[in-house]
Amino acid sequence: MCYIIEIRTLKKIKCNSYSVEVGNLELSSFPVLLQESYRDVRKVIVVDENTHDFCLEYLLTAFPTLEDAEVILLPTGEENKVMEVCFQVLEALSDYEIVRSDLVITLGGGVVSDMGGFIASIYKRGLPCIHIPTSLMGMVDAAIGGKTGIDLGSFKNQIGTFYNPVAVYVDQRFLETLPEEEWKSGFAEVLKHALIADRKEWDRLISSSQGELFSEENVKMILEKSIAVKANIVNEDPIEKGKRKSLNFGHTIGHAIEGYYLDLNPMSHGNCIALGIIAEAFLSNQKGTLETEELNEIVQVMMALYPCPEDLLTGVSIMLELMKNDKKNDQLGVRTCFLNKIGECSWNHLIDENDIKAAFNYLYQCYYKN
Ligand SMILES: NC(=O)c1ccc[n+]([C@@H]2O[C@H](COP(=O)([O-])OP(=O)(O)OC[C@H]3O[C@@H](n4cnc5c(N)ncnc54)[C@H](O)[C@@H]3O)[C@@H](O)[C@H]2O)c1
Ligand SMILES: [Zn+2]
């Protein structure tokens, strides 16, 4: 997927106390912020190996005041979103004598914004942080909403903080170098946002050809609409007392799949969430909230884009254990979201072991019934 790219307009979306600005970085408030609020402080830019190679040069060239910044290079990949790596970064910040008024800038996908944001939130009790997401997943989801986190063994995002950045800058030109698999991964969250809150956008997304969908103008529209869904929900419920839980649709089962395969044969976050969406849409149907016709529509869309591992069923008992330790649970058991219909979601539904096993069986049957 490839498109080119000279977008002159800028859109600001309010999210909690800060803005998400969608458009060219040069036209955004980023240079003003650097010049006026952070001119005399030291800057730390957090990247991973790919964003170091593909994105950093552009940033340093476009904003020469960043040339003196310390660059922290994280090892790429979800398996490195762990405490051991955080410790090394914290030590580096200390060696660089970074102080509390200095600025952290994350430049990368969700792993970089989750881990960079987490580190910014705990080092010296919190440094100001700006996110510049470079993956579709980061742009529509991970960098939006102020959740930071790292994994603990197979348990996803088990350690983390709510920590609002100073601002988020979404410049779609970074997507130019994003591999196709990563586009697909981020697109799963785009579909999820439409499924939980925007029926019209779902219809638009599934009726467009790939060529139409990933044209320059359309990517901008996808970004704006998807970010707006997340920002609206986060504005209503910043610390996940209620409605924000709907963003976890597909994630109860999806996170268990992701955690289980992390050590075996890692799959992208989005691929796992797409499988979780099928499974949780099935449960929504079983529990009587989602019409069968809409379930079938969702399954068809997800199956066309995302594969399912052939050995899925061999891991069910381990995935069940992972689910029991999910952050979204309470004393009563595993909690999940249901779709009421495409475009509307409800949350806090209790499901039991039989429900989960049935959902895994259904998911497997969708792909391998013959
Ligand atoms: N905090 C939240 O609310 C939230 C929400 C959704 C996802 N997440 C987290 O985000 C992570 C997934 O995000 P992700 O898919 O962006 O993962 P990622 O950061 O690992 O990025 C995916 C891959 O794309 C590469 N990449 C990123 N930008 C690139 C670019 N412009 N050009 C070339 N390569 C590029 C990365 O190096 C990596 O190899 C997961 O850890 C997930 O738990 C967090
Ligand atoms: Zn997700």
Side-chain angles (χ1 to χ4, degrees):
M1 294 170 202
C2 176
Y3 61 92
I4 303 292
I5 313 167
E6 190 53 50
I7 290 184
R8 294 256 127 220
T9 54
L10 188 84
K11 173 136 184 171
K12 282 191 188 188
I13 301 169
K14 202 83 195 131
C15 187
N16 286 341
S17 55
Y18 59 96
S19 285
V20 180
E21 296 186 21
V22 186
N24 279 13
L25 208 44
E26 292 90 333
L27 302 177
S28 74
S29 63
F30 183 60
V32 183
L33 213 57
L34 287 182
Q35 190 55 36
E36 291 180 3
S37 307
Y38 297 102
R39 195 185 59 195
D40 299 322
V41 305
R42 293 174 65 203
K43 285 99 181 161
V44 177
I45 305 176
V46 184
V47 291
D48 73 7
E49 289 146 309
N50 291 322
T51 61
H52 176 273
D53 291 354
F54 296 121
C55 308
L56 184 60
E57 191 182 325
Y58 160 70
L59 194 70
L60 299 183
T61 314
F63 304 99
T65 55
L66 292 176
E67 263 163 18
D68 297 334
E70 306 293 352
V71 174
I72 303 246
L73 177 61
L74 303 176
T76 302
E78 182 72 28
E79 64 279 20
N80 294 304
K81 205 177 92 172
V82 293
M83 199 49 117
E84 290 77 357
V85 175
C86 288
F87 278 136
Q88 291 177 36
V89 177
L90 291 165
E91 272 170 16
L93 294 180
S94 185
D95 289 346
Y96 290 143
E97 299 179 349
I98 296 301
V99 299
R100 204 170 169 189
S101 49
D102 292 338
L103 176 69
V104 172
I105 299 171
T106 71
L107 179 70
V111 167
V112 173
S113 56
D114 269 14
M115 189 149 64
F118 176 62
I119 291 163
S121 76
I122 58 171
Y123 182 77
K124 300 204 187 241
R125 298 211 173 84
L127 260 53
C129 174
I130 289 174
H131 294 309
I132 305 180
T134 60
S135 68
L136 183 57
M137 173 75 68
M139 290 181 185
V140 299
D141 198 353
I144 316 293
K147 270 192 190 177
T148 79
I150 55 171
D151 304 334
L152 186 64
S154 299
F155 297 111
K156 287 269 307 164
N157 302 330
Q158 200 76 353
I159 302 169
T161 54
F162 283 102
Y163 193 66
N164 282 333
V166 175
V168 179
Y169 297 104
V170 173
D171 186 333
Q172 71 186 78
R173 291 172 301 172
F174 285 116
L175 297 174
E176 219 182 330
T177 55
L178 192 71
E180 180 153 356
E181 274 312 296
E182 301 303 338
W183 274 90
K184 269 173 66 176
S185 178
F187 196 59
E189 303 281 9
V190 171
L191 291 169
K192 179 203 75 182
H193 285 162
L195 279 175
I196 62 172
D198 193 343
R199 164 96 224 192
K200 255 170 87 179
E201 179 65 352
W202 169 264
D203 290 339
R204 195 182 73 84
L205 292 170
I206 68 167
S207 60
S208 309
S209 70
Q210 192 165 304
E212 287 164 0
L213 212 49
F214 296 106
S215 69
E216 171 191 322
E217 267 310 315
N218 218 351
V219 168
K220 186 166 188 290
M221 198 190 300
I222 288 173
L223 291 173
E224 289 174 1
K225 285 192 175 292
S226 202
I227 293 168
V229 166
K230 179 148 187 192
N232 284 338
I233 292 173
V234 169
N235 285 336
E236 217 176 292
D237 177 20
I239 53 166
E240 206 164 310
K241 293 264 182 247
K243 189 168 187 173
R244 187 168 180 165
K245 294 181 186 185
S246 63
L247 291 165
N248 295 323
F249 176 61
H251 284 63
T252 304
I253 291 179
H255 269 162
I257 297 174
E258 189 176 4
Y260 174 68
Y261 283 99
L262 200 55
D263 287 337
L264 299 171
N265 181 16
M267 285 199 289
S268 72
H269 178 69
N271 195 148
C272 299
I273 295 321
L275 298 177
I277 287 174
I278 295 179
E280 291 174 29
F282 164 78
L283 287 174
S284 314
N285 176 255
Q286 288 294 292
K287 302 291 178 181
T289 65
L290 180 70
E291 298 287 346
T292 303
E293 205 180 309
E294 293 203 328
L295 167 66
N296 292 339
E297 183 176 319
I298 294 166
V299 171
Q300 214 184 346
V301 170
M302 295 298 163
M303 282 181 64
L305 287 169
Y306 303 97
C308 174
E310 275 182 60
D311 61 354
L312 181 78
L313 294 184
T314 55
V316 170
S317 56
I318 297 175
M319 288 189 271
L320 261 169
E321 286 310 306
L322 290 176
M323 251 176 271
K324 286 181 189 158
N325 205 6
D326 193 283
K327 301 182 294 307
K328 299 181 284 299
N329 300 339
D330 55 26
Q331 260 60 27
L332 295 174
V334 176
R335 299 269 178 187
T336 196
C337 301
F338 290 160
L339 280 186
N340 302 340
K341 57 184 179 185
I342 292 176
E344 194 183 300
C345 185
S346 53
W347 53 91
N348 268 353
H349 299 283
L350 266 181
I351 48 171
D352 64 22
E353 221 172 285
N354 288 334
D355 295 327
I356 297 167
K357 284 182 181 160
F360 274 115
N361 277 327
Y362 174 80
L363 176 58
Y364 184 81
Q365 292 297 322
C366 286
Y367 283 84
Y368 302 107
K369 60 185 151 217
N370 299 316

